[in-house]
Amino acid sequence: MLSSPRQPLLACLCLLISVDAIAAEDEANVLAPVTVEGSAENAAAETPIELQREQALTPGAVTLLDTQTLNERNVVSIGDMLRYVPGIWTATGATGDATFLSSRGSNLDATNFDGNGVKLMIDGLPVTAADGNNHNSFIDPMAARYAVIARGANALTYGASTLGGAIDFISPTARNTNNQISLSGGSHGTVQSRITGGVVAGDKDALVTVEQRSYDGFRDHQEQQRGSVYANTGWQISDTVENRFYFSYTDNDQELAGSLNKAQFDEDPYQAGEDNERGNFLKNVETWRVANRTRWQLSDTSNLVVGFSFEDQSLYHPIVGGADPGFSLLIDNDQTTFGTTVRFDKQMGNHDLLLGLNYGQTWVKGGNYTHSGGIRDALTTKVDNKADNLEIFAMDRWHFAERWTLVYGAQAVTGSREVDNVNVSSGAQRNPNDTYESFNPRLGVIYQVADRSELFANVSKLYEAPTLYELEDEVQANNDTLDAMQGVVGEVGTRGVAPFGQDNEWNWEVAVYYAQIEDEILSVEKPGAPGTSQVTNVEDTIHAGVEARVGASFALGDGRHRIEPLLSMTYNDFTFDNDPVYGDNQLPVAPDFFIKGEIMYRHANGFFAGPTFDIVDDRFADFENSYEVDGYELVGLRTGVTRDAWEVYLEGRNLTDEAYVANLTVRNDANINDALLQAGEPRSVFAGIRFDF
């Protein structure tokens, strides 16, 4: 264990609490919160003050989302939710709601199913497993009230040092959410319903949401059935203490359509892979989660938050073979994750201090089986894997001059990974295991240009240990285990809101970053064995990019008519750096650039209408850069009416019915005969309605 950084930080926490108890401190000179106002997507005008304040105190890219803006369009996945967040590449189409997620070039390999590189949380408590994997993690974007997307090293606020950063989904409560019922549906047999009811009784409140989704899919063998329950109860124990309990349950059964080769895609991009349909490949996940969070306001200038979470996830997953004699693979396991967090913040004069601790444990128990058409047969491998992770972090935001804030801090992390796989027939055991430790400093500065705009810059260390899935698939020589990825990233940027003429306003987020990475963990799919992969460390890679989101609200005439454009733009430069095998080749999967936008007309009576568009550049499907996948352009249209107590929308997507590749599988050296391509959604129309009661 990493005792040296842990002990002084815990001692510092106790000291600050003691200081708070014996002496009152001066109010800190806090930066005015940067807000993004107006009714356009990514608007944060209704976001709680503490979230705006955290954004303003972060010297890097952080985006705030108010999910009430999502009611104007069809949102079923994280990809839909994050559509206008720059720097994040998402791709859907593999299943009904699963989303490939990459932030600043994370997760660009054949083990993308583990979803590593981005730390996911709900109410500040982990959804991501202790080893860093998001395998099978489903988060319903419409079950959140707000979301905070901290890209890259800017996630230190949450104790993370991952390449892609962190996303925190904040639950609604009966105190900030109306009782409501919503129904949506449309193309591909889509039907989704949701009912939310809550009650507030003095110092107690409770909220329950029941959700159901049915989906036939736009491809063969892509049907989905999902049902969920989300609930939380709160108790204001005293004027300074609040406790909240959370519960969620999701049963999500999905067919897997699989990947196609070039000839199959050209013939019919919406057919299922032959093996997927004949082998009845499935991904059925049942998850329940409980969490508890208590917040103490220790004084006017300090708060303490303590929370825990417990999640159990059952996976039934036929994924290889099963149609003919020969090798087949069905994964049947349970993943259990326990997490806890402690956060203490205090304003001391011109200093805004944050101390925190995250600890998590994950156990994966079950096995790999053969199967026939998705029906489990013989056990081939017993699986008993486990991981733990401890993050201790400290940060000071020092307002050392009228418009200047110096941000400095560090994270100390220690974690263990242990894979225990036993071959049933031979008794052979694979037991890669290791302990990973690092100290990751951060230094940044913020200059407040005006009340609602600022410039920022930071230099930070990145660090990410391998997941259990990566250790299972490693191909290191001499039985060595994988090294942790680490690197240094520099970032500069700006964000803000400013008037633009009379009754007009524009808002922006812009960040430019450059990261030099050592020992990035990458994998390729094994030739002739779809669904299995080989993982290794790559000595040097570069992750650089430009992220920009610009929105505006322009008044027409008397101000009852407005035009509100929104543009999200990302440029990526992810490459090997003088690699002995790949030279300076580009990393696969992520396009060089992508642009997503809309131009909405809005009337004061709540009516809105306007076009949407996507422009996506070419991508490579392999490390050799021998197989390039074409980019694409999409055009859509949405319209509707928003009122205080009800809302209705109509949305058309891909109106030109372009056949395009949304997601792909990575190889070392791919060719057109490899089954790598998964189609995106064809022309589709969706409608939805919401009533408050």
Side-chain angles (χ1 to χ4, degrees):
M1 301 296 288
L2 192 60
S3 59
S4 55
R6 178 172 55 186
Q7 292 174 350
L9 285 176
L10 290 177
C12 185
L13 174 61
C14 296
L15 175 62
L16 286 174
I17 295 174
S18 300
V19 170
D20 180 77
I22 63 175
E25 303 292 346
D26 295 334
E27 289 289 337
N29 297 322
V30 180
L31 289 175
V34 175
T35 63
V36 182
E37 298 182 340
S39 55
E41 288 274 357
N42 289 353
E46 303 300 325
T47 307
I49 294 298
E50 58 265 28
L51 297 183
Q52 298 177 18
R53 181 172 173 275
E54 278 296 335
Q55 182 193 45
L57 290 173
T58 303
V62 177
T63 299
L64 307 181
L65 289 180
D66 182 342
T67 62
Q68 286 191 341
T69 63
L70 304 183
N71 290 317
E72 294 184 353
R73 55 189 176 93
N74 191 54
V75 175
V76 299
S77 68
I78 294 179
D80 294 326
M81 180 189 211
L82 302 177
R83 171 176 171 80
Y84 294 119
V85 178
I88 294 185
W89 170 247
T90 62
T92 57
T95 63
D97 55 29
T99 300
F100 169 79
L101 177 65
S102 175
S103 175
R104 295 192 169 182
S106 64
N107 201 27
L108 300 182
D109 57 16
T111 56
N112 58 52
F113 56 80
D114 72 356
N116 68 308
V118 179
K119 184 174 184 176
L120 302 179
M121 296 170 289
I122 298 178
D123 302 299
L125 294 163
V127 172
T128 296
D131 66 334
N133 90 78
N134 291 305
H135 189 36
N136 311 322
S137 295
F138 168 73
I139 295 180
D140 182 353
M142 301 306 291
R145 181 63 181 85
Y146 305 103
V148 183
I149 302 95
R151 298 188 290 283
N154 302 299
L156 179 61
T157 303
Y158 300 98
S161 60
T162 51
L163 177 62
I167 305 176
D168 188 18
F169 301 87
I170 299 169
S171 300
T173 72
R175 297 185 183 274
N176 63 14
T177 302
N178 295 326
N179 297 337
Q180 61 182 232
I181 184 169
S182 62
L183 178 66
S184 62
S187 299
H188 324 304
T190 302
V191 178
Q192 188 161 335
S193 59
R194 181 184 304 269
I195 184 168
T196 298
V199 61
V200 177
D203 57 7
K204 299 178 178 64
D205 65 83
L207 186 75
V208 178
T209 296
V210 179
E211 176 263 356
Q212 180 69 38
R213 171 172 163 81
S214 178
Y215 178 68
D216 292 339
F218 59 84
R219 296 183 62 190
D220 298 334
H221 199 68
Q222 201 184 28
E223 183 179 347
Q224 177 193 18
Q225 297 292 330
R226 186 186 79 209
S228 303
V229 177
Y230 311 101
N232 67 77
T233 62
W235 178 22
Q236 190 71 44
I237 300 172
S238 69
D239 291 341
T240 59
V241 181
E242 179 189 14
N243 178 266
R244 189 162 297 276
F245 173 82
Y246 305 88
F247 170 81
S248 64
Y249 171 82
T250 297
D251 188 6
N252 196 3
D253 294 345
Q254 303 184 86
E255 296 176 336
L256 302 178
S259 300
L260 306 175
N261 63 32
K262 183 67 165 58
Q264 292 169 332
F265 188 91
D266 290 342
E267 177 190 11
D268 177 8
Y270 310 118
Q271 64 180 303
E274 183 179 358
D275 290 342
N276 289 64
E277 195 160 22
R278 294 175 62 235
N280 193 26
F281 293 180
L282 306 170
K283 186 178 180 182
N284 297 343
V285 183
E286 186 177 15
T287 304
W288 63 270
R289 181 179 186 270
V290 295
N292 189 273
R293 186 175 184 269
T294 302
R295 177 172 180 167
W296 286 270
Q297 183 178 346
L298 301 175
S299 72
D300 291 340
T301 59
S302 61
N303 294 281
L304 177 66
V305 175
V306 178
F308 74 86
S309 60
F310 183 89
E311 178 177 294
D312 183 76
Q313 181 189 101
S314 298
L315 171 67
Y316 185 87
H317 189 26
I319 188 58
V320 178
D324 302 305
F327 177 75
S328 64
L329 173 63
L330 183 151
I331 303 170
D332 189 351
N333 63 35
D334 286 315
Q335 177 176 285
T336 303
T337 298
F338 168 79
T340 187
T341 186
V342 179
R343 290 172 61 91
F344 175 81
D345 63 85
K346 179 166 183 63
Q347 299 172 18
M348 300 179 64
N350 291 334
H351 295 268
D352 194 312
L353 302 175
L354 172 65
L355 298 177
L357 178 152
N358 299 324
Y359 179 71
Q361 289 182 302
T362 293
W363 303 265
V364 181
K365 294 189 177 183
N368 297 339
Y369 297 78
T370 61
H371 73 100
S372 300
I375 305 301
R376 192 180 72 183
D377 290 333
L379 176 67
T380 59
T381 304
K382 291 182 180 179
V383 176
D384 187 4
N385 303 338
K386 52 183 174 288
D388 63 45
N389 210 63
L390 173 65
E391 301 163 335
I392 303 172
F393 55 100
M395 186 161 46
D396 180 20
R397 286 73 70 95
W398 175 27
H399 312 293
F400 65 91
E402 182 179 359
R403 293 183 176 271
W404 292 89
T405 302
L406 183 67
V407 181
Y408 53 96
Q411 177 218 52
V413 58
T414 179
S416 66
R417 310 285 188 269
E418 183 175 356
V419 170
D420 188 0
N421 292 357
V422 178
N423 185 289
V424 173
S425 60
S426 67
Q429 182 183 30
R430 288 196 69 249
N431 184 222
N433 64 91
D434 211 338
T435 299
Y436 299 89
E437 300 178 344
S438 183
F439 181 77
N440 309 309
R442 173 172 168 83
L443 179 65
V445 65
I446 301 170
Y447 176 72
Q448 189 165 2
V449 180
D451 286 344
R452 296 193 296 165
S453 62
E454 59 188 20
L455 304 173
F456 55 76
N458 76 81
V459 177
S460 309
K461 183 180 177 183
L462 300 168
Y463 182 83
E464 190 174 342
T467 67
L468 292 169
Y469 294 98
E470 290 169 331
L471 283 181
E472 281 185 321
D473 295 338
E474 66 175 334
V475 291
Q476 303 294 86
N478 304 318
N479 294 318
D480 291 337
T481 53
L482 292 166
D483 293 327
M485 179 220 78
Q486 56 185 319
V488 177
V489 59
E491 178 181 2
V492 297
T494 177
R495 58 174 162 254
V497 183
F500 187 79
Q502 186 175 3
D503 296 327
N504 303 322
E505 190 172 74
W506 71 296
N507 55 77
W508 69 92
E509 297 178 15
V510 180
V512 180
Y513 69 93
Y514 183 91
Q516 291 185 316
I517 307 297
E518 297 178 3
D519 294 322
E520 183 167 0
I521 301 170
L522 296 174
S523 69
V524 296
E525 193 174 66
K526 287 183 181 179
T532 59
S533 54
Q534 299 173 318
V535 183
T536 190
N537 289 111
V538 174
E539 187 172 348
D540 294 303
T541 53
I542 293 173
H543 288 246
V546 180
E547 306 164 347
R549 185 200 50 76
V550 180
S553 182
F554 300 112
L556 303 177
D558 60 2
R560 293 175 56 81
H561 308 268
R562 306 191 73 86
I563 298 295
E564 296 188 344
L566 176 65
L567 195 63
S568 175
M569 301 167 287
T570 300
Y571 169 75
N572 297 319
D573 186 15
F574 308 142
T575 66
F576 294 94
D577 186 15
N578 197 28
D579 187 83
V581 176
Y582 303 113
D584 294 328
N585 283 0
Q586 293 183 29
L587 292 176
V589 180
D592 282 350
F593 70 86
F594 56 94
I595 301 171
K596 299 182 180 183
E598 65 180 31
I599 304 173
M600 288 293 130
Y601 162 78
R602 296 183 183 274
H603 191 275
N605 65 9
F607 173 78
F608 62 89
T612 64
F613 55 90
D614 299 57
I615 303 172
V616 177
D617 194 25
D618 299 344
R619 296 159 284 166
F620 287 107
D622 60 357
F623 294 126
E624 290 283 357
N625 289 179
S626 61
Y627 191 150
E628 193 168 26
V629 177
D630 292 338
Y632 56 88
E633 297 81 35
L634 305 178
V635 177
L637 181 68
R638 62 186 183 92
T639 184
V641 178
T642 299
R643 297 290 177 86
D644 289 341
W646 60 273
E647 190 164 32
V648 61
Y649 73 83
L650 177 67
E651 181 180 11
R653 297 180 176 178
N654 191 8
L655 297 181
T656 60
D657 202 24
E658 178 171 352
Y660 67 98
V661 175
N663 210 345
L664 50 87
T665 302
V666 174
R667 291 283 176 89
N668 178 47
D669 187 4
N671 63 69
I672 61 174
N673 296 317
D674 293 328
L676 307 176
L677 312 177
Q678 297 184 25
E681 193 173 51
R683 182 188 293 120
S684 309
V685 178
F686 303 98
I689 189 168
R690 171 190 60 84
F691 287 103
D692 291 353
F693 62 93

